[in-house]
Amino acid sequence: MLKLKDIISIRDLEKKDIKLILKVARKMESIARGEKTSNVLEGKVLGMMFYEPSTRTRLSFEAAMKRLGGKVIGFSEVRTSSTMKGENLADTARTVAQYSDAIVIRHELEGSARYVADLVEVPVINAGDGAGQHPTQTLLDLYTIKRTFGKINGLHVAILGDLKYGRTVHSLAHALAMFNVKMSFVSPPELKMPEDIIEDLKNFEVEINETSNLNEVIDDIDVLYVTRIQKERFPDPQEYSRIKGAYNIDAKTLEGKDLIVMHPLPRVDEISYEVDNLPCAKYFKQAFYGVPVRMAILKLLIK
Amino acid sequence: MLKLKDIISIRDLEKKDIKLILKVARKMESIARGEKTSNVLEGKVLGMMFYEPSTRTRLSFEAAMKRLGGKVIGFSEVRTSSTMKGENLADTARTVAQYSDAIVIRHELEGSARYVADLVEVPVINAGDGAGQHPTQTLLDLYTIKRTFGKINGLHVAILGDLKYGRTVHSLAHALAMFNVKMSFVSPPELKMPEDIIEDLKNFEVEINETSNLNEVIDDIDVLYVTRIQKERFPDPQEYSRIKGAYNIDAKTLEGKDLIVMHPLPRVDEISYEVDNLPCAKYFKQAFYGVPVRMAILKLLIK
Amino acid sequence: MLKLKDIISIRDLEKKDIKLILKVARKMESIARGEKTSNVLEGKVLGMMFYEPSTRTRLSFEAAMKRLGGKVIGFSEVRTSSTMKGENLADTARTVAQYSDAIVIRHELEGSARYVADLVEVPVINAGDGAGQHPTQTLLDLYTIKRTFGKINGLHVAILGDLKYGRTVHSLAHALAMFNVKMSFVSPPELKMPEDIIEDLKNFEVEINETSNLNEVIDDIDVLYVTRIQKERFPDPQEYSRIKGAYNIDAKTLEGKDLIVMHPLPRVDEISYEVDNLPCAKYFKQAFYGVPVRMAILKLLIK
């Protein structure tokens, strides 16, 4: 049993909560693939409040709820909601809560999911609050690793890209630290992991390595977790162009390496398309794993 | 049994129709809360034609249909429909009717729901036609009163706000008159209930009281039904500012009073947020009651 | 059994495939009308990728899937998908395929459906790719004829309107040729059926007649299939105005004729509204037949 009412931040979860979710998710896979049917959430309604566009998170939550026999209502953009008539987030959320057995919310404002969770009685799941948290992404990342290697403990995970502003990466690092993973943070110096995050991780007595050069670690790592480096982060476009190439993963980068490549998607050009068909490319599988993980969360939260 | 094919205006319903809907709604509540499952509308499809944004009405109809085991198709804005390609309302409605067992329509044009109901064979429910009718709102308003007091007859209901242009308020007054309710209409003189509505109500030999001062009646009323006063109604912004305060409900207004506060939502600032947590605040509960009431209507209309 | 994984172009289907789909569709009708329930696709999920607005195709696919007990996820416009964040069609499709047991796609780009079908493992159904194919429209057109006359063989079908640019008309002609139908192509000279299409049809040894004057054939035809003549095709607006009238179907055109009128919809003004209530008007029935035909396709494709 999960003791939490809501899933707002990965930091709210204890290690045993995470293990429970991953364990339940494993049992959901055949239902997630449509091979088995389930009606465990029959008669239940999930309220989706998506104030920002989303393909993966929204559709995988919908698929998860529906594969379990549940129903979905909600909106996928501001324009079709009463927010257009000046209604505030609190009133909209309290209203949706009247119609639903749980709420999934994506909102541009950091802290919005926690704010809503405190307002309503039904469980609230944070599906991304601006630059804030996106805990179900972290959980499916963990599940992908667990599912591929049979374990998380003891692996060496490199996280590459924008480690300064990419806060979902901070959540992932925090969660990995709970599993005593060796971590390498690979980024341009301008986009290094912030000091306070590094300090937080040190509480777990985890081995951490920082570098700007992927080649230094690529032969040792089990997982290469790639994220995007956004052009907007660089005041000087030339500086961006210079750096970009070094953090683009192509078939040559991966030649002869024994690792898997993950990415939260959407990608732009940080992983070349030629990589897609290599056995090490796990990012679409990773997207699929979002379904059983979200099924597990829905089943555990909805009474 | 309802003898009506459609629900277009509250004026089409006889008192016994209303009583039947409220009675069936009462039985729907545990299903509406997700405590019991139902498949009474299994295999049935509800077509939603929403030409204007809506949270409450759209989502509660969807929840109602889905909680009963039915399915929903449709659109929630003009842009994703063939109206974009120049198709007129009649053709779109006749098409949606081919795919559905009932239609719910919200359209900016007064009279549009009746027009569609006359065109198609399936039942049509008016979910708001511009400044026209919104009968399911009136029904859930009645249900909220009935559910709270165990009766409607003999209560004293004050309706406050814009009584001139708010036509859903006219429908509510009409319906309340059928139940021999004492009514107080509280509004700025500029926004008084129109004479023809008052005349209509007098047919029911109902006691009516008009005032611009809430204090005159607040100690006697059982229900305070608040609606918004729209700034746009006042040519002079200063006049609006002067009036606004007198029709804003806060905790102090309600101190020591024995009544419930209702509101169709969305509100802007006509009820202070501090009121939300008072036991007398029923407007979110009222939103919930939209689900069992709409379930009852769907069940009674869909063959 | 259909041996195809996907339905991309009517040209991929053999005559026996088409006959199978029409036969299965016939059995689906009572479920499509909500008279019988079915759970043959229980637990299955259909992914809808609609990059362009659509009422008929989108809603009838949704109704079809839902009437069969299946579920639907997806998006009905670009704006609510990750395409907004720069994701390309391939990545979005591969993602949706992770959540779905089949994909229905409408995209403005010709060839897009085939491209997606080659990328993903799940069945892909083309719901219109720009000026390209729209095979389920052709199948429901055939079904409407079969259902009305009990046969397709030996009938005389006139196709009227823009035969030059209207490529769904090309698909329809191709499919009709497989059933040894006599065809009359009625269009302004500027919008004649292209030579290569005529050549293709001659492979079937079908009788073909081209004219710009409907009166020449109207007494002999069984089916009058009307399509729109788009103003934009004419550089000279006066030329358009002159021609338009001759291709507008009204009650007088049809007086005393023994035929049915079909139209893929939406229409603008090429069929007068007075025709709608004549027994020969079959275009709304034709829209309905889209449901059982799409049910048949979904049932045959989804494993």
Side-chain angles (χ1 to χ4, degrees):
Chain A
M1 284 292 290
L2 270 189
K3 273 195 228 117
L4 297 162
K5 176 178 94 76
D6 313 293
I7 306 272
I8 304 303
S9 161
I10 197 76
R11 281 157 216 266
D12 301 340
L13 296 166
E14 294 177 38
K15 189 172 174 180
K16 71 172 167 49
D17 298 327
I18 295 176
K19 288 175 86 167
L20 175 63
I21 291 169
L22 302 192
K23 193 177 150 194
V24 175
R26 185 65 188 87
K27 291 179 194 159
M28 294 293 180
E29 267 195 38
S30 58
I31 305 167
R33 274 192 299 268
E35 294 162 8
K36 276 174 57 180
T37 62
S38 165
N39 279 308
V40 69
L41 293 182
E42 191 187 354
K44 301 295 184 185
V45 170
L46 181 64
M48 306 278 282
M49 299 175 64
F50 273 67
Y51 289 89
E52 293 190 319
S54 158
T55 301
R56 251 160 299 280
T57 308
R58 183 170 65 84
L59 296 191
S60 63
F61 262 116
E62 290 204 16
M65 188 67 186
K66 290 173 176 179
R67 295 276 199 198
L68 290 172
K71 314 275 178 155
V72 177
I73 62 170
F75 48 86
S76 52
E77 49 169 345
V78 181
R79 247 172 358 84
T80 53
S81 78
S82 280
T83 309
M84 289 301 283
K85 303 187 204 159
E87 184 168 65
N88 66 16
L89 175 61
D91 279 12
T92 303
R94 273 183 287 205
T95 299
V96 175
Q98 301 296 332
Y99 309 148
S100 314
D101 300 297
I103 285 177
V104 175
I105 182 167
R106 166 167 293 191
H107 194 283
E108 61 189 345
L109 209 66
E110 195 175 340
S112 51
R114 180 89 63 196
Y115 172 70
V116 165
D118 290 345
L119 276 175
V120 303
E121 282 174 38
V122 300
V124 173
I125 303 166
N126 185 1
D129 55 344
Q133 303 292 326
H134 191 5
T136 62
Q137 178 69 47
T138 301
L139 287 163
L140 78 87
D141 291 341
L142 294 178
Y143 185 77
T144 303
I145 296 171
K146 175 90 201 284
R147 190 69 175 79
T148 307
F149 295 96
K151 62 171 183 177
I152 303 178
N153 274 320
L155 295 175
H156 183 178
V157 178
I159 306 182
L160 174 140
D162 175 359
L163 308 183
K164 186 172 179 188
Y165 299 101
R167 294 211 203 164
T168 55
V169 160
H170 305 167
S171 300
L172 177 61
H174 177 90
L176 286 170
M178 296 165 80
F179 287 86
N180 300 104
V181 161
K182 180 175 172 186
M183 280 181 266
S184 288
F185 299 142
V186 187
S187 72
E190 297 88 337
L191 298 176
K192 276 181 68 177
M193 193 69 95
E195 263 316 302
D196 61 318
I197 304 289
I198 300 281
E199 288 306 311
D200 166 55
L201 297 174
K202 283 184 179 159
N203 294 330
F204 295 92
E205 300 182 16
V206 67
E207 192 183 333
I208 291 171
N209 174 36
E210 294 188 82
T211 177
S212 62
N213 185 354
L214 177 60
N215 289 328
E216 283 182 14
V217 296
I218 196 163
D219 286 315
D220 188 56
I221 58 179
D222 301 294
V223 176
L224 175 59
Y225 195 102
V226 183
T227 67
R228 198 189 323 172
I229 293 179
Q230 288 182 286
K231 201 173 181 171
E232 305 86 81
R233 301 299 185 199
F234 291 83
D236 180 351
Q238 288 206 303
E239 179 68 7
Y240 170 73
S241 300
R242 192 185 59 76
I243 270 167
K244 204 185 97 175
Y247 299 91
N248 183 300
I249 306 302
D250 57 20
K252 209 170 147 227
T253 321
L254 300 167
E255 209 178 305
K257 310 302 176 197
D258 184 25
L259 51 77
I260 66 168
V261 181
M262 293 175 64
H263 190 294
L265 302 178
R267 71 172 149 182
V268 175
D269 55 10
E270 56 277 19
I271 302 179
S272 300
Y273 293 108
E274 63 192 20
V275 174
D276 296 0
N277 297 317
L278 301 180
C280 66
K282 293 292 181 196
Y283 30 93
F284 290 113
K285 198 79 189 170
Q286 183 184 357
F288 165 72
Y289 288 141
V291 183
V293 167
R294 288 170 175 128
M295 290 168 85
I297 292 167
L298 292 170
K299 180 173 182 294
L300 289 165
L301 287 187
I302 296 177
K303 303 293 174 252
Chain B
M1 284 290 291
L2 270 189
K3 274 197 229 114
L4 297 162
K5 176 179 93 77
D6 313 294
I7 305 271
I8 304 302
S9 162
I10 197 75
R11 281 156 217 268
D12 301 340
L13 296 166
E14 295 176 38
K15 190 172 173 181
K16 69 171 169 50
D17 298 326
I18 295 175
K19 289 176 84 167
L20 174 63
I21 291 168
L22 303 192
K23 192 177 150 196
V24 175
R26 186 65 188 86
K27 292 180 194 160
M28 294 294 179
E29 266 196 38
S30 58
I31 306 167
R33 274 193 298 268
E35 294 162 9
K36 275 175 55 181
T37 62
S38 165
N39 279 307
V40 70
L41 293 182
E42 191 188 354
K44 302 295 184 186
V45 171
L46 180 63
M48 306 277 284
M49 299 175 63
F50 273 66
Y51 288 90
E52 293 190 320
S54 159
T55 301
R56 251 160 298 279
T57 308
R58 184 169 65 83
L59 296 190
S60 65
F61 263 115
E62 290 204 17
M65 187 68 185
K66 290 173 177 179
R67 296 275 198 200
L68 290 173
K71 314 275 179 154
V72 177
I73 63 170
F75 47 87
S76 52
E77 50 168 346
V78 181
R79 248 171 359 83
T80 53
S81 78
S82 280
T83 308
M84 290 301 284
K85 304 186 205 161
E87 184 168 65
N88 65 16
L89 175 60
D91 279 13
T92 304
R94 273 184 286 205
T95 298
V96 175
Q98 300 296 330
Y99 309 148
S100 313
D101 300 298
I103 285 176
V104 175
I105 181 168
R106 166 166 291 191
H107 193 284
E108 62 189 344
L109 209 65
E110 193 175 340
S112 50
R114 180 89 65 197
Y115 172 69
V116 164
D118 290 345
L119 276 175
V120 304
E121 283 174 38
V122 300
V124 173
I125 303 167
N126 185 1
D129 55 343
Q133 304 292 326
H134 190 6
T136 62
Q137 178 69 47
T138 302
L139 289 162
L140 77 87
D141 291 342
L142 293 177
Y143 185 78
T144 303
I145 297 171
K146 175 89 200 283
R147 190 70 176 77
T148 307
F149 295 95
K151 62 171 184 179
I152 303 177
N153 275 319
L155 295 175
H156 184 178
V157 177
I159 306 182
L160 175 140
D162 174 0
L163 308 183
K164 186 173 180 189
Y165 299 102
R167 294 212 201 164
T168 56
V169 161
H170 306 168
S171 300
L172 177 61
H174 177 91
L176 286 170
M178 295 165 80
F179 287 86
N180 301 104
V181 161
K182 179 175 172 186
M183 280 181 267
S184 288
F185 299 140
V186 187
S187 72
E190 298 88 336
L191 298 177
K192 276 182 66 176
M193 193 67 93
E195 264 315 301
D196 61 318
I197 303 288
I198 300 281
E199 287 307 311
D200 167 55
L201 296 175
K202 284 182 177 158
N203 294 330
F204 294 92
E205 300 180 19
V206 67
E207 192 183 334
I208 293 171
N209 174 36
E210 294 187 83
T211 177
S212 62
N213 186 353
L214 178 59
N215 289 328
E216 283 182 14
V217 297
I218 196 163
D219 287 315
D220 187 57
I221 59 179
D222 302 293
V223 176
L224 176 58
Y225 194 102
V226 183
T227 66
R228 196 188 328 170
I229 292 179
Q230 289 182 286
K231 201 173 180 172
E232 306 86 81
R233 302 298 185 198
F234 291 83
D236 180 353
Q238 288 206 305
E239 179 67 7
Y240 170 75
S241 300
R242 191 186 60 77
I243 270 167
K244 205 184 95 176
Y247 299 91
N248 182 300
I249 306 303
D250 57 20
K252 209 170 147 226
T253 320
L254 300 167
E255 209 177 306
K257 310 303 176 195
D258 184 24
L259 51 76
I260 65 168
V261 181
M262 293 175 63
H263 191 295
L265 302 179
R267 71 171 149 183
V268 175
D269 54 11
E270 56 275 19
I271 301 179
S272 299
Y273 293 109
E274 62 192 20
V275 175
D276 296 0
N277 298 316
L278 301 180
C280 66
K282 294 292 182 197
Y283 29 93
F284 290 113
K285 197 81 189 167
Q286 183 183 358
F288 165 71
Y289 288 142
V291 182
V293 167
R294 288 170 175 127
M295 289 167 85
I297 292 167
L298 292 170
K299 181 174 183 290
L300 289 165
L301 287 187
I302 296 176
K303 303 293 174 252
Chain C
M1 286 290 290
L2 270 189
K3 273 196 229 114
L4 296 161
K5 175 178 93 74
D6 313 293
I7 306 273
I8 304 302
S9 161
I10 197 74
R11 280 157 218 268
D12 301 340
L13 296 166
E14 294 178 37
K15 189 172 174 181
K16 71 173 168 49
D17 298 326
I18 295 175
K19 289 176 85 167
L20 175 63
I21 292 168
L22 303 192
K23 194 177 151 194
V24 175
R26 185 66 188 86
K27 292 179 194 160
M28 294 294 179
E29 267 195 39
S30 57
I31 306 166
R33 274 192 298 268
E35 294 162 9
K36 276 174 56 180
T37 62
S38 166
N39 279 308
V40 70
L41 293 183
E42 191 188 355
K44 302 294 184 185
V45 171
L46 181 64
M48 306 278 281
M49 300 175 63
F50 274 66
Y51 288 89
E52 293 189 319
S54 159
T55 301
R56 252 160 298 280
T57 308
R58 183 168 67 83
L59 296 190
S60 64
F61 262 115
E62 290 204 16
M65 188 67 185
K66 291 173 176 178
R67 296 277 198 198
L68 290 172
K71 313 275 179 155
V72 177
I73 62 169
F75 48 86
S76 52
E77 50 168 345
V78 181
R79 248 172 357 85
T80 53
S81 77
S82 280
T83 308
M84 289 301 283
K85 304 187 204 160
E87 184 168 65
N88 66 16
L89 176 60
D91 280 12
T92 303
R94 273 184 286 205
T95 299
V96 175
Q98 301 296 331
Y99 309 148
S100 313
D101 300 297
I103 285 176
V104 175
I105 181 168
R106 166 166 292 191
H107 194 284
E108 62 189 344
L109 208 65
E110 194 176 340
S112 51
R114 180 89 64 196
Y115 171 69
V116 165
D118 290 345
L119 276 175
V120 303
E121 281 174 38
V122 300
V124 173
I125 302 167
N126 185 1
D129 55 343
Q133 303 293 325
H134 190 5
T136 62
Q137 178 68 48
T138 301
L139 288 163
L140 77 88
D141 292 341
L142 293 177
Y143 185 77
T144 303
I145 297 171
K146 175 90 201 283
R147 190 70 177 76
T148 307
F149 295 95
K151 61 172 183 179
I152 303 177
N153 275 319
L155 295 174
H156 184 179
V157 177
I159 306 181
L160 175 140
D162 175 358
L163 308 184
K164 188 172 178 188
Y165 300 101
R167 294 211 203 165
T168 56
V169 161
H170 305 167
S171 300
L172 176 61
H174 177 90
L176 287 170
M178 295 166 80
F179 287 86
N180 301 104
V181 160
K182 179 175 171 185
M183 279 181 265
S184 287
F185 299 140
V186 186
S187 72
E190 297 87 339
L191 298 175
K192 276 182 65 176
M193 192 67 94
E195 263 316 300
D196 61 318
I197 304 287
I198 300 283
E199 286 307 311
D200 167 53
L201 297 175
K202 284 183 178 158
N203 294 330
F204 294 92
E205 301 182 16
V206 67
E207 193 183 333
I208 292 171
N209 174 37
E210 296 188 81
T211 178
S212 62
N213 185 353
L214 177 60
N215 289 328
E216 283 182 15
V217 296
I218 196 163
D219 287 316
D220 187 56
I221 58 179
D222 301 294
V223 176
L224 176 58
Y225 195 103
V226 183
T227 66
R228 197 189 325 172
I229 293 177
Q230 288 182 286
K231 202 173 180 172
E232 305 86 81
R233 301 299 185 198
F234 291 83
D236 179 353
Q238 289 207 302
E239 179 66 8
Y240 170 74
S241 301
R242 192 186 59 77
I243 271 167
K244 205 184 97 175
Y247 298 91
N248 182 299
I249 306 302
D250 57 20
K252 208 170 146 226
T253 320
L254 300 167
E255 209 178 304
K257 309 304 176 196
D258 184 24
L259 52 76
I260 65 168
V261 181
M262 293 174 64
H263 191 294
L265 302 179
R267 71 172 149 183
V268 176
D269 54 8
E270 56 276 20
I271 301 179
S272 299
Y273 293 108
E274 62 192 20
V275 174
D276 296 1
N277 298 316
L278 302 181
C280 66
K282 293 292 182 196
Y283 29 93
F284 291 114
K285 197 81 190 168
Q286 183 184 358
F288 165 71
Y289 288 142
V291 183
V293 167
R294 288 170 175 128
M295 289 168 86
I297 292 167
L298 292 170
K299 180 173 182 291
L300 289 165
L301 286 187
I302 296 176
K303 302 294 174 250

